Amino acid sequence: MNFISTRGKTPATGLGAAIAAGLAPDGGLYVPESLPKFAIDDFAGCQSLDQVGARLLAPFFAGDDLAGSLADICAEAFNFPVPLKPLPLVDTFVLELFHGPTAAFKDVGARFLAACMQRLRAGAATPLTILVATSGDTGAAVAAAFHRLPGLRVVILYPDGRVSPRQAHQLGCFGDNVTALRVAGSFDDCQAMVKQALNDGALQSRLPMSSANSISLGRLLPQMTYYAHAALQFRRAREQALNFVIPTGNLGNAMGAALTRAVGLPVGRIALATNANHVLQDFFDGGDYRPATSITTLANAMDVGAPSNFERLRWLYPDDGQLRASFSARATSDAGIRSTISQSRSRYGEVFCPHTATAVRTLEMLREGGETGAWAVVATAHPAKFEAIVEPLVGAPVPVPPALAELLSRPASAEPLAADYPALRDRLTEMDAA
Ligand SMILES: *Cc1c(COP(=O)(O)O)cnc(C)c1O
């Protein structure tokens, strides 16, 4: 299988090269040249997440050097449960994606990318430095996934004082080949500095660098697996497709669901749940696509005004009418997030994180509109990651899951860094010398 750019000006590339590159050279996003088509019977005998992943992703890996390692990559990446649990309402489920090391769904993609990168870099003379700008969840997932992998280093930039104390602790608790830099600036400053470093040819030639952001194919493809796994499980039990409502920011997670449906798995409707950033609701309700500056909300990992994977949705559904018919989107305000979290224990017997709460609210709106099908709410993070928001609303402490507790029990430290590129360049140059 070859991969082409959504902008059509990049030669077709093999999977390994596309993963290593991240963004296509023409500025577009890599997409498969063609889509495989599966029948349900193709998954006969595939029960576990890693078995489903190895079968589902085989056509995308076909012909690449990584193909022979796919089963091992899946076994390494998908090593925690992704349960589909019933909620105490008719035909309503929750798909929990937060049982990995940093308690957010980004662990799935980050672990798969790390397993691929490790193999792509095997035997390289110089280590590869992965640069990550993060507003919280991404940096921790990438750090946990790449920690102590030979030939790979991670440098995380985060806005000092603008991530939650628990997020800051997670970013600074790894050490070894992971360096956390707390930048005296905003998330946008961090992103701009990373971009400049990646484009600094002189530095690149001495210190090979790559990124791990949500447009990477190495993060996108594995995000199909849990949708396929849950949909197959549901179909075997109930003979019907399962619908999903997905907390959405850059559309990476939702794109995983869309691809899973497109290759023939029994995924039904896909509803996109956003926070108050309403660019998707406007488009799917029939308006123009108008990317905007993001606004800050309680669901901060979804504070996105211009979803980067929208380009991939348009590639999958080139006709706007067809695209609008294939998804729906609803925005939920901070007030809606708060009231959903407050009522979650009495209504569902569960506590949801602020991101998951947007999906719960979106499904409630669909039900109020008469929707009766079987739906799974996708839970993207554990509520204990956002205890400062959640605990006052539910009026009780949220128990910390063991993996997160382990990280929080380690000592943590981060180095201060000025919010300008020369400071970052000097710090990276020091690493080169070390
Ligand atoms: C990153 C993130 C999202 C948004 O995912 P996208 O792939 O960017 O749409 C939602 N919830 C949580 C908890 C996240 O960390």
Side-chain angles (χ1 to χ4, degrees):
M1 169 84 72
N2 275 323
F3 292 80
I4 53 173
S5 165
T6 47
R7 302 202 183 159
K9 297 196 179 69
T10 293
T13 305
L15 178 69
I19 289 178
L23 203 65
D26 63 3
L29 275 55
Y30 279 113
V31 289
E33 202 165 38
S34 62
L35 283 180
K37 207 70 187 169
F38 286 99
I40 311 247
D41 290 346
D42 294 335
F43 291 87
C46 295
Q47 296 291 341
S48 64
L49 199 58
D50 63 318
Q51 288 169 339
V52 170
R55 182 71 49 91
L56 180 70
L57 301 180
F60 299 98
F61 277 63
D64 193 79
D65 287 346
L66 287 174
S69 308
L70 177 59
D72 290 340
I73 292 170
C74 289
E76 282 169 38
F78 306 133
N79 71 339
F80 51 87
V82 180
L84 178 68
K85 300 195 332 198
L87 290 172
L89 289 182
V90 178
D91 278 344
T92 305
F93 302 82
V94 59
L95 179 64
E96 292 182 349
L97 305 183
F98 54 66
H99 296 284
T102 71
F105 88 94
K106 292 189 175 77
D107 283 324
V108 174
R111 293 181 61 78
F112 193 90
L113 177 67
C116 291
M117 283 281 197
Q118 193 187 358
R119 288 166 174 86
L120 291 169
R121 295 295 297 179
T126 37
L128 178 70
T129 301
I130 309 284
L131 290 179
V132 201
T134 186
S135 52
D137 284 348
T138 302
V142 171
F146 284 80
H147 186 217
R148 294 191 176 150
L149 291 190
L152 293 158
R153 284 198 292 229
V154 176
V155 176
I156 301 164
L157 283 75
Y158 71 89
D160 198 5
R162 300 192 205 186
V163 305
S164 79
R166 267 187 195 167
Q167 282 177 320
H169 194 104
Q170 281 187 295
L171 296 169
C173 76
F174 289 97
D176 302 317
N177 64 334
V178 177
T179 305
L181 302 172
R182 46 185 179 90
V183 174
S186 65
F187 172 63
D188 289 341
D189 293 328
C190 297
Q191 239 178 345
M193 290 160 73
V194 164
K195 220 176 234 174
Q196 262 186 294
L198 293 170
N199 290 329
D200 182 336
L203 186 60
Q204 270 282 12
S205 64
R206 295 200 311 275
L207 183 86
M209 293 174 288
S210 185
S211 69
N213 61 24
S214 75
I215 53 95
S216 168
L217 267 182
R219 284 179 55 183
L220 177 66
L221 294 175
Q223 288 169 186
M224 299 170 68
T225 304
Y226 41 78
Y227 290 108
H229 184 255
L232 285 166
Q233 190 185 330
F234 192 75
R235 163 75 197 227
R236 284 167 186 152
R238 293 272 299 265
E239 293 284 318
Q240 15 169 323
L242 182 59
N243 307 302
F244 291 93
V245 52
I246 306 174
T248 294
N250 272 317
L251 279 164
N253 196 4
M255 191 65 208
L259 280 174
T260 307
R261 182 171 65 182
V263 300
L265 276 290
V267 170
R269 270 169 293 153
I270 300 173
L272 310 172
T274 71
N275 56 27
N277 290 280
H278 50 76
V279 55
L280 292 174
Q281 172 173 301
D282 294 350
F283 173 79
F284 284 101
D285 281 356
D288 291 336
Y289 179 64
R290 284 218 186 84
T293 315
S294 70
I295 57 172
T296 303
T297 75
L298 293 173
N300 67 346
M302 295 165 23
D303 288 348
V304 175
S308 48
N309 280 293
F310 193 74
E311 244 181 272
R312 283 194 170 113
L313 276 192
R314 278 217 153 125
W315 155 80
L316 194 56
Y317 298 97
D319 175 73
D320 274 359
Q322 212 191 353
L323 175 56
R324 288 197 182 97
S326 304
F327 302 87
S328 60
R330 272 288 157 267
T332 294
S333 66
D334 276 357
I337 291 174
R338 281 200 191 89
S339 68
T340 303
I341 295 173
S342 310
Q343 294 159 10
S344 61
R345 189 119 53 190
S346 61
R347 248 189 222 180
Y348 301 97
E350 294 278 336
V351 175
F352 300 112
C353 88
H355 309 82
T356 307
T358 66
V360 173
R361 182 68 202 124
T362 296
L363 181 55
E364 286 172 351
M365 288 193 277
L366 285 166
R367 295 289 193 213
E368 284 155 20
E371 168 59 41
T372 56
W375 284 81
V377 167
V378 175
T380 49
H382 193 284
K385 274 194 103 160
F386 303 94
E387 85 287 3
I389 296 168
V390 172
E391 289 181 347
L393 291 169
V394 299
V398 177
V400 178
L404 186 56
E406 198 277 310
L407 294 184
L408 296 176
S409 73
R410 297 184 194 172
S413 71
E415 298 172 28
L417 192 80
D420 66 350
Y421 177 58
L424 176 62
R425 188 190 52 214
D426 292 350
R427 186 64 191 85
L428 292 170
T429 307
E430 269 171 48
M431 285 183 191
D432 179 33

